[in-house]
Amino acid sequence: MIIKELTIYNFRSYYGTKKFVFSDHLNLILGSNGDGKTTFFDAINWVLTPDYVPKSEEDKMPEESSLVSAKMFSELRAGESSRVLVSMKLKNNSGSLRIIERAFNVSKTPDGKMRIEGRTHKAYQIVGSIRKEIFSVKDVFEKENAFPAIIKKYHIFKGEDRLNIFNDKTTLQTLIDMFSEIKDLEPFKQFAKYAKCTSEKAFSGSKDKANKQNAKIVEIQNDITELSKRLETAESELVTAKRDFNEAKEHIDAIDNDYEIIQEVDKLEKEVYKTESEIERLSDKIDEEYSFKLLDEQWILMGFGSILREFNNKLESLAFSKNNIESDYRKKQEEEFKQAKIEKAKTELEKIAWNRTDVEKMKQMLVTHRCAYCGSAAPEGSVTYDFIRQRISDVIDLLTPKPEEKRPEIKRYFYARNIEELKEIGLSLAHTGKDFSSIPDEIESTYHENDEIRKLIAQRKKQVDALQKNIADLYASSSSGENLKEYVANIAVVNRWRDQKEASAIVMNKLLTSTIPNLKELLKKKREDQKKNVKTSGGNSMMMVNEFFNLFSDAIDNTEAATYEEFLSRLAKESNVFLAHLNVDDFTGVIKIYLDRYNDLKIELQDKNGKLITNPNTSLLTTMHISILFAISELTKENRDAEYPLIFDAPTSSFDEGKDKTFYECLNTQVNKQCIVVTKSFLYKDDNGEYVTDTKALGKLNCQKYRIKKLTGFDKLDITTIDTIVEEIKEE
């Protein structure tokens, strides 16, 4: 089959009709990022992918609405419709021209929404210049063998990571079925198993007279039966062990060579968790509630000690002064009281200076009505008489003893107790239990402790950053990148896979190298002993039948193993031919493809001395995978008498500049197959930052070349302005 033309109409960024015409050999579609390379590849894949084939998650077709040209749809008015179409003209393996066309209608509803209908996937034949509808697409793909689904998966590849087809565990068996006669052995395998079992039973059940008389034959047959059962059990255990091994290996292979990285990342993640937990604990220890401590811890009194001492000294002095003033005031009141008494006494004494003798005289004067001192008359009722009588009364009162006079209440000088209260406050502040002099040291100590904790936290954070960087570096160095995070998160499951694989491998190794070979050897010896004894006992015919079917079963098993080995040898041989062509002037190595003792497929690069190349670079691996694909294509040509194009999207993205150009030169001159390659090789940026074609390098290639790019003048923020143009690069 050869793809002759491809027409793309209103498919994503390909607005309107875009057409490609292909040569029978190398075809290059050049475009920079965002120019429509992937869309070109998707268009081919879309038209070649029939709906009748079940699709894996990776191969599912995108939503049809995502295939519609945004520019085309934006130009539709409400009620108008247009079409999305990809048409491929091809020449089938018998040389007839066919057209495969996939399309659907697109219309805009009154409310501006998209409606998709009229889906078609048709095949046409070309008779003269007339296109005529023929069989269904399935008939063209499968019956005419144009591009059968079983072939397609080995001929269309999107990206470098899809080149290793053996990532799919069914690939080997599919290829074996396609390119070898091993499937023809299946009926013989079933018959051999049946015949072997039946002849064993028949031989065991033959109880002729000779056998009945020969206890030795019966004993040997019983041993054979027991050994056969043990062998069957061992082989069943081997099947189970292989199943467990392959199941675990499938999971382990998904992480390729990253198991040790997963273990290391898990270890580092635990260190991160441990360190972050320590940071959290340290953060809890930081006590920086300084504003609360001003009151709770009385830090606000830090400078109050000297003030309080001065305050209490002042109060003490003031209290002392107050006491002195009070004392002086009391003394003054006492003196005033005494002085008042003295003055009163003086006054009274001045009034009466007589003694008791004088009193008697005055009493006599009242009787005689005459003054005893001056002789003047003092009749009763006269002033003189009344004076003498009052004087006598006063003198008697003064001279009469009286109880001690009550002292008047001494008045206070200070009625308020402010000084005492302040003194009590000062004393209470001085005796709160807080040593004010220690507060500065306490503050300094707390700040220092917090500072030390912060420094320790900073160190731990640096450790976390370093650990995170190591983790990121490990992810970067792995083949799966950050996809490994899921495996790290489920490290217990990964370890269980690893343990299951190792345990199954041990069981398989023991069964394959010891148990099964030993049982087979014992069976072989027992059958030889049986054969000798049967010959002498007359039961030779049934034994010979049983022996024949045992040999027949072994022959089928050996043929199957030889068929696998022969196919893998052919595949490796063809692959090395292409590897030598595609890797000129560079180290190639030798591709080895084989099944190990666990029936696990191994693809390795070795040097000519058989030394394993353990870490080949990415470009060498890519070249190796492409060589295997070319080899499969070559085997297809031999076995099916048919050839199919190889279609690649960015297969050499890991190649450095120069290496990719050399690769395409070799592909152009050394590989006689139709190849359609979408790539940004042969493009470089000019002084204006625009991608231009390396015409000099392209001039070395005698192939069909196209340049795809966005039509200038588009709006970077408006997808409806995008249109991919197609320009054929002509030879100068």
Side-chain angles (χ1 to χ4, degrees), residues 11-62:
F11 187 91
R12 288 185 179 161
S13 62
Y14 288 75
Y15 171 71
T17 301
K18 304 295 189 296
K19 186 174 181 179
F20 299 84
V21 178
F22 302 111
S23 73
D24 293 356
H25 301 289
L26 179 62
N27 300 270
L28 294 179
I29 313 299
L30 309 181
S32 62
N33 295 337
D35 278 346
K37 300 192 305 298
T38 299
T39 298
F40 171 86
F41 178 87
D42 288 345
I44 291 182
N45 194 43
W46 189 60
V47 75
L48 287 177
T49 302
D51 291 330
Y52 61 81
V53 178
K55 299 169 186 64
S56 67
E57 194 64 33
E58 290 180 331
D59 293 324
K60 283 184 178 178
M61 291 293 98

Side-chain angles (χ1 to χ4, degrees), residues 357-358 360-366 368-378 384 388:
T357 303
D358 292 328
E360 291 299 326
K361 277 185 175 184
M362 285 190 291
K363 286 181 177 180
Q364 185 65 33
M365 289 171 62
L366 291 177
T368 62
H369 300 286
R370 188 172 291 282
C371 178
Y373 296 100
C374 65
S376 59
T384 303
I388 292 171

